[in-house]
Amino acid sequence: MSGSSSVAAMNKVVQQLRLEAGLNRVKVSQAAADLKQFCLQKAQHDPLLTGVSSSTNPFRPQKVCSFL
Amino acid sequence: MATDGLHENETLASLKSEAESLKGKLEEERAKLHDVELHQVAERVEALGQFVMKTRRTLKGHGNKVLCMDWCKDKRRIVSSSQDGKVIVWDSFTTNKEHAVTMPCTWVMACAYAPSGCAIACGGLDNKCSVYPLTFDKNENMAAKKKSVAMHTNYLSACSFTNSDMQILTASGDGTCALWDVESGQLLQSFHGHGADVLCLDLAPSETGNTFVSGGCDKKAMVWDMRSGQCVQAFETHESDINSVRYYPSGDAFASGSDDATCRLYDLRADREVAIYSKESIIFGASSVDFSLSGRLLFAGYNDYTINVWDVLKGSRVSILFGHENRVSTLRVSPDGTAFCSGSWDHTLRVWA
């Protein structure tokens, strides 16, 4: 019956909301500080960020070798 | 009986009011923790310099729009799929085509490389996800060894192998995501909750555990527990379809790209959106997003044919890349972060570095 199925559907919505309400959250200042920390720590090892030279990046054009 | 109807109405009404009060409580909780913006925390971080990123390789061969691509773990092979029904495996260093298979349907919207590098998965309008082992034997017909793994009741929009070749995660126009066993084709878990087509998914980096994020036409991004099938977190701040979702490399956040012309960053521990990447001049939808290795850069492909590069921490755009002659439909950074590849409706793929 349409009545009981909307109750069942509503029940699911409430269950889901209860689950989400119970989550442990962190302050944005803390979360943002951690994101920033991660970026800065890994910066050296990020080739697209640091711009890797031709000799180490397989996609950048190599200088042509020629036999003299 | 009349009294049953009355009872049901009361239950429905009380459930509805509980839902409303829970939603209000959630908003309150999230707002309490919103003490600062990400770009404020990043104010003292050194600004990024000029970026020189160019197309280093162009992969030509598809006969129609490129819809999806994925990198092999070997950092050089790429699989791509197209509206013309073809799935091609390329060596991106040499631009040679190593394998090609024709699917029985057009609009192959999803493709993925297996972690071993020995197989690929793809699907689209056929509502299935099929796995093809890659063979170098010239006498073998790739299509002959095809294995149908997933069956949805509408188009396949995204697929991804989990940590092994044994399981595949799929997203579909039927509004669900599902986890399948490749060998048996058995459905291991299904994920219900989106109110419309699911367009994209991304698995959390393996260190962070068994979750994945999905985005859909219902404007929601949902984070799921793979074991229980439960939605653990949901975010609804986009104003239109979410075309792409990608985890931040630490696993603590994810980015999304949407038809509302913005990309957004959601932090999972703060349980809220923490940044929006947008400009008044950008009015076309973002179709695909991916992070550089450190998470500092967000590459986003748009329907106005461009790729915008965003400073994730500061929220500003650091570069705009031109080259494609039609919509950018797919974009992935290579496994070692030395390059990224974009696919477009202009029938080509480009590798940028």
Side-chain angles (χ1 to χ4, degrees), chain A residues 3 6 14 16 18-19 23 25-29 31 34-36 38-39 45-48 57-61, chain B residues 12 15 18 26 33 35-36 41 51-52 56-57 92-93 231 248 267 269-272 292 294 337-339 353:
Chain A
S6 38
V14 170
Q16 183 60 37
R18 279 186 193 153
L19 196 83
L23 208 66
R25 288 177 193 82
V26 152
K27 280 195 186 168
V28 175
S29 50
D34 291 346
L35 289 176
K36 179 181 93 175
F38 185 88
C39 272
H45 306 286
D46 185 343
L48 285 168
N57 188 321
F59 290 105
R60 293 210 167 171
Chain B
L12 195 62
L15 280 173
E18 188 182 350
L26 263 173
L33 300 165
D35 54 348
V36 80
V41 169
F51 279 93
V52 179
R56 306 291 175 175
R57 300 287 189 281
S92 65
F93 288 0
C231 166
Y248 186 77
D267 187 287
R269 298 179 318 142
D271 188 37
R272 63 171 298 124
S292 68
S294 67
T338 52

Side-chain angles (χ1 to χ4, degrees), chain B residues 29-330:
Chain B
E29 289 298 313
R30 283 173 169 171
K32 262 191 225 167
L33 300 165
H34 189 198
D35 54 348
V36 80
E37 299 292 336
L38 175 59
H39 64 84
Q40 288 172 297
V41 169
E43 241 158 36
R44 301 243 209 84
V45 174
E46 214 181 298
L48 296 172
Q50 280 287 19
F51 279 93
V52 179
M53 256 178 253
K54 295 187 198 166
T55 299
R56 306 291 175 175
R57 300 287 189 281
T58 305
L59 306 178
K60 294 189 187 177
H62 276 297
N64 212 321
K65 308 176 173 67
V66 175
L67 302 175
C68 189
M69 59 82 36
D70 191 18
W71 287 88
C72 175
K73 283 209 159 79
D74 72 0
K75 314 154 214 168
R76 82 186 264 172
R77 283 175 180 78
I78 285 176
V79 62
S80 62
S81 63
S82 163
Q83 184 192 341
D84 68 358
K86 289 224 172 41
V87 177
I88 300 177
V89 175
W90 316 75
D91 176 332
S92 65
F93 288 0
T94 62
T95 74
N96 288 340
K97 298 177 197 46
E98 292 193 344
H99 305 268
V101 73
T102 306
M103 292 282 285
C105 65
T106 56
W107 289 90
V108 188
M109 296 172 232
C111 64
Y113 230 114
S116 68
C118 299
I120 52 147
C122 54
L125 284 188
D126 58 352
N127 299 359
K128 295 188 204 166
C129 184
S130 307
V131 175
Y132 291 85
L134 295 175
T135 169
F136 280 94
D137 185 344
K138 298 274 186 224
N139 297 324
E140 274 213 52
N141 178 6
M142 239 178 96
K145 296 256 164 158
K146 165 179 169 175
K147 191 183 236 135
S148 273
V149 174
M151 283 283 294
H152 278 279
T153 54
N154 208 326
Y155 64 90
L156 188 82
S157 55
C159 63
S160 173
F161 283 87
T162 60
N163 305 338
S164 77
D165 286 18
M166 301 285 83
Q167 290 182 356
I168 284 193
L169 197 53
T170 57
S172 167
D174 67 13
T176 72
C177 295
L179 181 66
W180 310 83
D181 177 273
V182 173
E183 194 54 51
S184 63
Q186 198 190 358
L187 173 68
L188 298 171
Q189 185 62 262
S190 66
F191 306 88
H192 297 258
H194 275 287
D197 306 22
V198 187
L199 299 179
C200 51
L201 63 81
D202 191 36
L203 270 135
S206 36
E207 311 80 49
T208 357
N210 290 343
T211 59
F212 73 94
V213 59
S214 63
C217 291
D218 58 356
K219 313 176 202 168
K220 282 201 220 162
M222 301 178 82
V223 181
W224 307 88
D225 179 316
M226 277 169 68
R227 289 204 199 96
S228 66
Q230 191 90 44
C231 166
V232 293
Q233 281 173 277
F235 305 88
E236 200 173 351
T237 62
H238 270 294
E239 294 166 20
S240 188
D241 300 359
I242 297 179
N243 299 312
S244 175
V245 284
R246 194 73 70 211
Y247 270 92
Y248 186 77
S250 72
D252 288 332
F254 69 90
S256 58
S258 163
D259 274 352
D260 69 8
T262 71
C263 296
R264 296 176 197 233
L265 186 69
Y266 297 90
D267 187 287
L268 294 171
R269 298 179 318 142
D271 188 37
R272 63 171 298 124
E273 173 193 293
V274 292
I276 304 185
Y277 307 100
S278 66
K279 269 177 118 63
E280 265 186 46
S281 53
I282 301 175
I283 56 172
F284 283 83
S287 62
S288 46
V289 298
D290 202 357
F291 287 100
S292 68
L293 275 196
S294 67
R296 183 68 192 272
L297 299 176
L298 181 70
F299 299 97
Y302 290 75
N303 293 341
D304 65 0
Y305 316 174
T306 67
I307 293 168
N308 287 310
V309 186
W310 300 90
D311 178 331
V312 170
L313 298 180
K314 291 186 180 282
S316 53
R317 178 173 64 185
V318 295
S319 194
I320 175 169
L321 303 173
F322 299 97
H324 278 297
E325 294 167 15
N326 206 320
R327 290 194 188 189
V328 177
S329 52
T330 178

